[in-house]
Amino acid sequence: MVETAKIKIRKKEQSSLPQVDFSNIVFGRVFSDHMFVADYRDGEWEDLRIEPYEAMQLTPGLISLHYAQTIFEGLKAYKNDKGDVMVFRPEMNLKRLNISAERMCMPQLPEDIYMQGLSELLRLDRNWVPNLPNTALYIRPFMFGTDEYIGLKSSETYRFIIFTCPVGAYYSKPVKVKFERHFTRAAKGGTGFAKTGGNYAGSLYPAKLAQEKGYDQLIWTDGIEHEYVEEAGTMNIMFVIGDTLITPHPGDSVLKGITRDSVLTLARDWGMKVEERRIKTSEIVEAIKNNTLKEAFGVGTAATIAHISLIADDETDYPLPPVESREFSNKALKALDDIKTGVTEDKFNWIYKL
Ligand SMILES: *Cc1c(COP(=O)(O)O)cnc(C)c1O
């Protein structure tokens, strides 16, 4: 058995909970009382602690502020009707964090530190897990290099933090998207499969240009020909064409989403035809034109499923079938919600109950 150092706890003197209006929360702007912190030096994670969520002192020479040696994760906790706190597939996020860490030349985070830190933090802030319909506690684990050094090299010291944000009903209004044929999110051999800060910084400008034209998000295409579909903004993308669920095969330029994996698992369990393969933008446009494209949606932790109402290709807007008619994505959304909130049996063992 691995011995874990004890987590020191310093509690916040006065909880901010009474100031929060849970029926009206903007995503990512409200922070729970505490955070879990661990520091890495001399090859060891140490000084494990839970302390009030508050500003930290950082040196201007912090290596990660300059060269973006940063990685993050996103997952959610829910409450069932008995008030138990249930976390959705947390071990998958740790696996992915460590895949990102390897690519960004950062240390691995051991499972016991992650699970113990997460569990202790959620136990302490369990009253921050909302239980209104469509609400959840968003959990943000992240790691960054903390050396004070501006030569370009891998940091020798790191900090790992988990903080949480209650998030309100995510009104997943259907989104309008356009195929991006000029800018590239991630290249072959690049860092697209890692959840690392630079990928997101680089996506802001193209997204802004699309938003100025009235679209909510981009559908990223491959970095070589700009011909194959990769992702929808910061979500994976799926289509139902005829009776088949189709999604891009995750190469090194696509982030392998946990929601993606969950939706594919449900689809296969329901006996649906599933294809993970390359998808040409022209195949999607053809399917829209001959009415075989039934559904298009993004999948990710924040929205779970975000219906796509319109896809633009070059200068042409193609509206998609009404959301009410979309059998698969509506059924998958409900099935996932029911598992996460303990309404139905957790037959795939996805829930970690505190
Ligand atoms: C986080 C993320 C996703 C979705 O992953 P989930 O594990 O389902 O939340 C998809 N694409 C990108 C680029 C992401 O950053």
Side-chain angles (χ1 to χ4, degrees), residues 216-232:
D216 301 299
Q217 261 305 345
L218 301 173
I219 297 182
W220 297 107
T221 54
D222 70 279
I224 298 170
E225 297 158 88
H226 289 293
E227 184 52 55
Y228 293 92
V229 175
E230 298 216 314
E231 296 205 55

Side-chain angles (χ1 to χ4, degrees), residues 59-80:
T59 165
L62 196 81
I63 199 162
S64 54
L65 290 178
H66 301 266
Y67 309 124
Q69 212 183 8
T70 67
I71 54 175
F72 67 96
E73 273 303 323
L75 64 161
K76 280 180 173 172
Y78 303 80
K79 264 184 187 157
N80 66 12

Side-chain angles (χ1 to χ4, degrees), residues 96 185 195 200 231 234-236 255 257-259 299-301:
R96 190 170 61 195
R185 187 192 89 90
K195 247 175 147 68
Y200 304 85
E231 296 205 55
T234 56
M235 293 179 287
N236 295 115
L255 191 113
I258 295 158
T259 317
V299 292
T301 295

